[in-house]
């Protein structure tokens, strides 16, 4: 269910979102960042693994974290749990799992780790736009 106000979201709302993209594959980093920019997102930081994602989340104030589930070392599920334990505002960020695997058990693991949603790879522009527009910071919902 989308928060109220989503239809009224403007490009400037989207442009102000602080997004952390946690993805270990360089091509996927480039493609996802490009899609985000097409939607109007300008403030995108990239982490190449789960540990870097947690470090950046601890140092930043993100509205949305797109978290690849399967990364070497600290995977996306572990990283999401760690982000939820951080002090400060980023622990309240929307964390969305990004994975090529869409089985229910994976979705449940992600939910239990504190993730707010799930988007399948390959990421499509329409799905990403809907995800961004449903972000509470854009839609005017509670943060």
């Amino acid at each position: 269910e989308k928060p109220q106000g989503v239809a009224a979201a403007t490009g400037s709302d989207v442009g102000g979102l602080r997004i952390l993209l946690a993805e270990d594959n360089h091509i996927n980093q480039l493609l996802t960042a490009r899609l985000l920019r097409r939607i109007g997102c300008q403030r995108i930081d990239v982490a190449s693994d789960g540990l870097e994602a947690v470090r950046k989340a601890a140092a930043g104030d993100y509205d949305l974290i797109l978290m690849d589930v399967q990364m070497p070392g600290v995977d996306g599920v572990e990283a999401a749990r760690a982000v939820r334990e951080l002090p400060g505002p980023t622990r309240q960020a929307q964390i969305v799992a990004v994975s090529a695997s869409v089985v229910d058990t994976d979705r449940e693991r992600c939910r239990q780790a504190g993730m707010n949603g799930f988007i399948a790879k390959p990421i499509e522009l329409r799905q990403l736009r809907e995800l961004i527009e449903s972000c509470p910071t854009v839609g005017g919902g509670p943060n």
Side-chain angles (χ1 to χ4, degrees):
E1 181 175 305
K2 291 186 180 183
Q4 292 191 353
V6 170
T10 65
S12 62
D13 293 336
V14 171
L17 277 180
R18 295 253 357 234
I19 298 172
L20 177 59
L21 170 60
E23 168 64 64
D24 63 312
N25 182 290
H26 185 67
I27 299 298
N28 288 342
Q29 288 173 1
L30 294 173
L31 291 172
T32 305
R34 184 177 185 188
L35 289 173
L36 287 165
R37 281 192 288 278
R38 283 184 62 188
I39 294 167
C41 300
Q42 302 300 320
R43 302 169 72 188
I44 306 161
D45 292 333
V46 177
S48 296
D49 59 48
L51 191 57
E52 184 181 4
V54 174
R55 276 200 303 265
K56 286 191 174 194
D61 180 10
Y62 295 99
D63 300 301
L64 174 65
I65 301 172
L66 295 174
M67 186 77 75
D68 183 20
V69 173
Q70 296 175 344
M71 292 185 284
V74 176
D75 71 13
V77 174
E78 293 173 70
R81 281 193 186 101
V83 168
R84 290 299 184 221
E85 298 295 319
L86 292 172
T90 292
R91 77 169 178 220
Q92 300 299 324
Q94 296 290 301
I95 303 176
V96 175
V98 180
S99 179
S101 173
V102 291
V103 287
D104 289 340
T105 54
D106 289 341
R107 288 177 187 256
E108 186 55 32
R109 273 184 66 227
C110 292
R111 262 193 294 280
Q112 289 175 355
M115 294 187 183
N116 303 93
F118 194 95
I119 191 167
K121 288 182 183 179
I123 296 175
E124 297 174 10
L125 183 62
R126 177 188 54 78
Q127 290 176 309
L128 192 59
R129 180 178 285 120
E130 288 172 5
L131 173 74
I132 296 297
E133 288 175 353
S134 69
C135 190
T137 308
V138 173
N143 282 338

